[in-house]
């Protein structure tokens, strides 16, 4: 992806990975993976970052920069996003397959990691809740600005009363095939309204706009159809590792109603954090708070097995 599509400086400029590899998913899909930090230091705890719809590894730039000081940070592009090629298979099961493939490619057998998923990344973790790979490697989970079901029906992007009309309009807007085009002042204002809190600083909006506008429209549309029908309520109940949930109070994409549902269903809920005035893009809007929550989970989670170095990918 061209550097012109990224911010070039500041906390949201994508840091250079220490190593890159390709994880191969169950259906042969090739998943781009970046390793940051002291990747050969077996004493450094591992953190896995899964980004959301229409984003990429660049979404986690602030977390990667801070955590890589003393963590092995593993970030990957969901299929069709960033540097992972598009695939005809756009399903929740495919997301779970991809996460399992990333864990297998980057962690030693039995090694534990804290897994943080934002939006569709959180849904990826829920979709993989019963998978052997997740149960083997997940020490703790952060579900960040996400939901398990009724994503379109509960969205408040369209500011009218809840009901069939709002759900229909929301599905048409979020599932639009229209190209997003260049990042303009109007485009930034629309993205800020839909996905960020009203107090979001211009440099935060700029970073998110460049990431989202870089997502191919066919990929964006294909995954919007998956999210429209998604139902992972069963997966939430099967997520048996310690789990923290975080949301912005002004999140229009996955409002706090989802957080309350997750909190009621998670078997090992650690805590719920609601950030006043923040929108859907919490890792960008509150980078220090999200990073601190990940560090907190690392400190409290079971320690990783440290007997094998990071695997080399294809």
């Amino acid at each position: 992806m061209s550097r012109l599509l990224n911010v070039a400086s500041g906390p949201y400029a994508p840091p250079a990975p220490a190593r890159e590899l390709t994880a191969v998913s169950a259906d042969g899909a090739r998943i781009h993976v970046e390793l940051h930090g002291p990747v050969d230091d077996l004493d450094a705890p591992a953190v896995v970052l899964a980004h959301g719809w229409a984003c990429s590894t660049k979404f986690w730039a602030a977390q990667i920069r801070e955590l890589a000081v003393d963590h092995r940070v593993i970030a990957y592009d969901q299929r069709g996003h960033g540097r992972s090629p598009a695939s005809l298979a756009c399903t929740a099961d495919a997301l779970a397959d991809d996460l399992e493939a990333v864990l297998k490619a980057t962690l030693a057998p039995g090694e534990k990691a804290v897994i943080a998923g934002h939006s569709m990344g959180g849904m990826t973790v829920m979709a993989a809740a019963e998978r052997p790979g997740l149960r083997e490697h997940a020490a703790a989970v952060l579900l960040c600005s996400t939901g398990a079901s009724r994503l379109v029906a509960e969205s408040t992007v369209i500011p009218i009363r809840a009901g069939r009309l709002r759900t229909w309009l929301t599905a048409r807007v979020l599932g639009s095939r229209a190209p997003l085009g260049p990042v303009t002042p109007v485009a930034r204002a629309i993205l800020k309204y839909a996905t960020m809190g009203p107090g979001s600083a211009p440099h935060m909006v700029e970073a998110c706009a460049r990431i989202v506008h870089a997502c191919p429209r066919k990929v964006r549309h294909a995954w919007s159809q998956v999210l429209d029908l998604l139902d992972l309520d069963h997966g939430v109940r099967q997520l048996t590792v310690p789990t923290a949930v975080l949301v912005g109070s002004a999140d229009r994409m996955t409002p706090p109603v989802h957080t309350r549902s997750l909190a009621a269903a998670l078997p090992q809920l650690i805590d719920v954090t609601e950030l006043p005035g923040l929108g859907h893009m919490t890792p960008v809007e509150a980078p220090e708070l999200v990073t601190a929550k990940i560090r907190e989970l690392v400190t409290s989670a079971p320690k990783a097995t440290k007997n094998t170095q990071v695997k080399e990918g294809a």
Side-chain angles (χ1 to χ4, degrees):
M1 187 181 299
S2 170
R3 291 289 297 181
L4 295 176
L5 297 177
N6 308 319
V7 293
S9 62
Y12 305 115
R19 191 175 301 162
E20 298 179 348
L21 58 86
T22 299
V24 181
S25 195
D27 64 352
R30 299 175 69 81
I31 306 301
H32 173 72
V33 184
E34 297 178 1
L35 308 178
H36 297 262
V39 297
D40 295 317
D41 181 356
L42 303 187
D43 291 321
V47 173
V48 179
L49 304 175
H51 69 75
W53 175 49
C55 292
S56 68
T57 59
K58 295 167 179 61
F59 184 80
W60 294 106
Q63 283 71 43
I64 291 171
R65 183 168 283 103
E66 293 301 320
L67 290 169
V69 173
D70 51 1
H71 293 69
R72 287 178 291 132
V73 183
I74 300 156
Y76 71 99
D77 285 324
Q78 303 271 21
R79 61 173 64 199
H81 297 71
R83 293 170 62 184
S84 292
S87 168
L88 293 177
C90 293
T91 64
D93 281 341
L95 294 176
D97 287 341
D98 297 348
L99 176 56
E100 276 201 301
V102 170
L103 297 175
K104 182 178 180 180
T106 58
L107 299 174
E111 183 178 9
K112 299 292 185 181
V114 168
I115 304 174
H118 172 261
S119 192
M120 192 174 81
M123 298 163 202
T124 299
V125 177
M126 290 182 269
E130 294 184 274
R131 297 295 187 89
L134 186 113
R135 294 193 168 184
E136 176 185 359
H137 292 296
V141 164
L142 174 61
L143 297 178
C144 188
S145 308
T146 192
S149 62
R150 294 180 53 80
L151 300 174
V152 174
E154 299 289 1
S155 169
T156 58
V157 168
I158 304 299
I160 62 175
R161 186 192 299 267
R164 290 184 180 179
L165 176 60
R166 191 182 76 177
T167 300
W168 183 86
L169 289 172
T170 302
R172 296 305 178 275
V173 169
L174 298 183
S176 172
R177 296 177 183 268
L180 295 181
V183 177
T184 64
V186 171
R188 285 192 289 268
I190 293 172
L191 180 129
K192 180 179 178 180
Y193 165 78
T195 69
M196 306 182 78
S200 297
H203 69 291
M204 297 177 178
V205 180
E206 181 73 19
C208 285
R210 288 177 180 268
I211 293 168
V212 171
H213 281 237
C215 182
R217 63 172 174 168
K218 289 184 178 179
V219 171
R220 174 168 46 85
H221 172 74
W223 283 107
S224 75
Q225 304 307 294
V226 176
L227 300 180
D228 186 4
L229 302 174
L230 199 68
D231 186 345
L232 297 173
D233 289 340
H234 176 72
V236 179
R237 295 189 292 271
Q238 299 303 313
L239 190 56
T240 57
V241 298
T243 302
V245 186
L246 182 147
V247 69
S249 68
D251 189 338
R252 291 185 171 94
M253 298 290 287
T254 53
V257 63
H258 291 293
T259 300
R260 291 190 285 273
S261 296
L262 293 173
L266 284 164
Q268 291 201 55
L269 176 69
I270 296 176
D271 59 31
V272 175
T273 303
E274 186 168 322
L275 302 175
L278 298 192
H280 185 64
M281 303 300 211
T282 42
V284 172
E285 296 177 74
E288 296 88 357
L289 291 173
V290 173
T291 301
K293 179 58 66 176
I294 294 172
R295 284 184 174 275
E296 181 182 318
L297 291 174
V298 170
T299 300
S300 62
K303 302 303 180 184
T305 301
K306 301 169 184 171
N307 57 0
T308 305
Q309 294 191 19
V310 174
K311 299 177 183 179
E312 294 289 351

